[in-house]
Amino acid sequence: MTSFLTPLRTWHRPLVVCALLMLGLVLAAGVGLVVDGRTLLDESVWVKPLKFGFAFALYAGTLAWLLTKLRKGRRLGWWIGTAFALAATVEVGAITAQAARGTFSHFNAEQTDPVTVALVPILTYGVMIILITQLILAIVVLIQRTGGATLNRAIRAGLGLAVFGMLVPVYWLVAEIHPRTVTDANGRQVPMYQGHGIGDPDGHGMPLTGWSVTGGDFRVPHFFALHGIQVLLLLTVVLAALAAKRAWLRDEKVRARLVGSAALGYAGLVAVVTWQAWRGQSLIHPDTSTLLALAAVLLLTAATTAGVIVTAKHASAVPAGTLKRDQMAH
């Protein structure tokens, strides 16, 4: 547990500042939801800044902590973290500016609005910078041990999921083109070259998330994959806390195997929702194939987890003397 916790003052400062700015945006966007009645495609203009603010606050905070665990490439990690913080701040700033103006940010093909023309390249290249910095950070982490076996496995699996989560929207941006014209909050006709939905480009979104209920939506696997690292780190903390009361959990290898099992199951979940979205199917309207795939992932995860638990409990129940005699006999 002590290897997980580090003083906040040692965290990567630019990323901490980025996270705090994003939290401020969440509060401001929350006020906007209440006092501003303007909508884009039937949802408040402030929903998108709120979602991006929350997601980047969580992720920037995680990276700010993660960089304290580096033993190799610390200077490179600091500069890459700083680049990530700047790119994320500018990206979300552009999204917020467009929301405040009552128009679209991503996929906006408007050529007569000078502000949109200036911001669209920022939105486009900002995504690429965020992806590249994420890839470099993942490589830096992979070449070293950042803590105990449990924490190390959670970080590596989580970063791998995050990289995949960032690749999904980038691939969608360049692989699919669905030109159309939509109306912004000002009643202006805006040309768009793409949409979030698969099968129904604009979709009809769920409350708050905005994920399509009439087709697939690439934001679903993007969200689940991007935040897998927080799920696995939380599991690491829980297992460390439980180890104080469960003797069979005190072995670092056991906790690492449980995190590995959870990572396997989580990766399976991301694979299923990606496949579901790619087929133009809403998250909340799974067909039989999707349900069977989810059941297979659940059963495999349950089986591997149960195997780890049974083996660990059996090992902890065997007296130490017996283990030594068995080892000497072999």
Side-chain angles (χ1 to χ4, degrees):
M1 189 70 172
T2 55
S3 65
F4 185 87
L5 299 175
T6 52
L8 183 60
R9 66 177 180 275
T10 66
W11 291 22
H12 187 278
R13 189 162 297 177
L15 282 167
V16 170
V17 172
C18 176
L20 292 175
L21 288 173
M22 296 301 166
L23 287 176
L25 174 60
V26 170
L27 294 176
V31 173
L33 286 175
V34 176
V35 303
D36 191 343
R38 294 177 299 162
T39 62
L40 289 171
L41 298 178
D42 299 324
E43 70 177 23
S44 171
V45 296
W46 295 106
V47 166
K48 188 168 184 175
L50 187 148
K51 291 188 296 183
F52 270 77
F54 175 78
F56 273 104
L58 191 59
Y59 200 72
T62 301
L63 288 181
W65 163 82
L66 174 59
L67 290 175
T68 67
K69 299 298 178 183
L70 297 183
R71 297 294 176 266
K72 301 175 183 178
R74 291 178 67 91
R75 183 174 293 276
L76 174 62
W78 191 92
W79 283 109
I80 294 300
T82 301
F84 182 99
L86 289 172
T89 302
V90 172
E91 175 83 2
V92 178
I95 291 170
T96 305
Q98 287 292 79
R101 298 177 65 237
T103 193
F104 301 91
S105 48
H106 295 109
F107 316 133
N108 194 328
E110 176 64 63
Q111 295 298 311
T112 61
D113 176 14
V115 177
T116 296
V117 171
L119 291 180
V120 165
I122 294 175
L123 291 163
T124 302
Y125 294 113
V127 170
M128 297 306 299
I129 293 172
I130 289 170
L131 173 60
I132 292 170
T133 54
Q134 177 64 37
L135 285 170
I136 296 174
L137 284 175
I139 293 171
V140 171
V141 170
L142 286 174
I143 65 175
Q144 62 192 294
R145 295 189 64 83
T146 54
T150 309
L151 181 59
N152 195 56
R153 185 162 296 180
I155 291 172
R156 290 184 174 188
L159 282 178
L161 287 165
V163 169
F164 175 80
M166 291 182 179
L167 284 172
V168 169
V170 172
Y171 175 79
W172 181 247
L173 282 170
V174 300
E176 297 289 336
I177 302 297
H178 298 286
R180 65 209 186 283
T181 300
V182 295
T183 304
D184 69 10
N186 306 308
R188 183 176 181 176
Q189 296 296 298
V190 178
M192 305 281 280
Y193 69 87
Q194 180 56 288
H196 295 107
I198 302 174
D200 184 354
D202 296 323
H204 295 79
M206 304 177 201
L208 192 58
T209 66
W211 297 341
S212 178
V213 298
T214 56
D217 198 315
F218 77 77
R219 290 173 295 184
V220 177
H222 172 67
F223 176 86
F224 278 100
L226 189 64
H227 295 296
I229 188 170
Q230 283 91 26
V231 173
L232 295 176
L233 289 175
L234 179 60
L235 176 61
T236 300
V237 173
V238 171
L239 290 175
L242 290 175
K245 296 182 180 180
R246 302 287 189 274
W248 59 273
L249 272 175
R250 290 169 191 163
D251 187 342
E252 177 80 16
K253 292 181 180 179
V254 172
R255 299 198 302 276
R257 288 170 187 150
L258 288 173
V259 169
S261 178
L264 177 66
Y266 199 92
L269 171 64
V270 170
V272 172
V273 297
T274 302
W275 177 58
Q276 181 187 25
W278 193 255
R279 291 184 294 132
Q281 184 181 112
S282 171
L283 177 69
I284 62 174
H285 297 301
D287 61 11
T288 302
S289 297
T290 300
L291 291 174
L292 287 174
L294 287 171
V297 170
L298 179 62
L299 288 173
L300 177 61
T301 306
T304 56
T305 302
V308 173
I309 293 174
V310 169
T311 302
K313 286 186 174 181
H314 175 73
S316 66
V318 176
T322 303
L323 286 175
K324 289 181 179 179
R325 287 195 299 271
D326 289 343
Q327 291 169 355
M328 292 176 64
H330 287 82

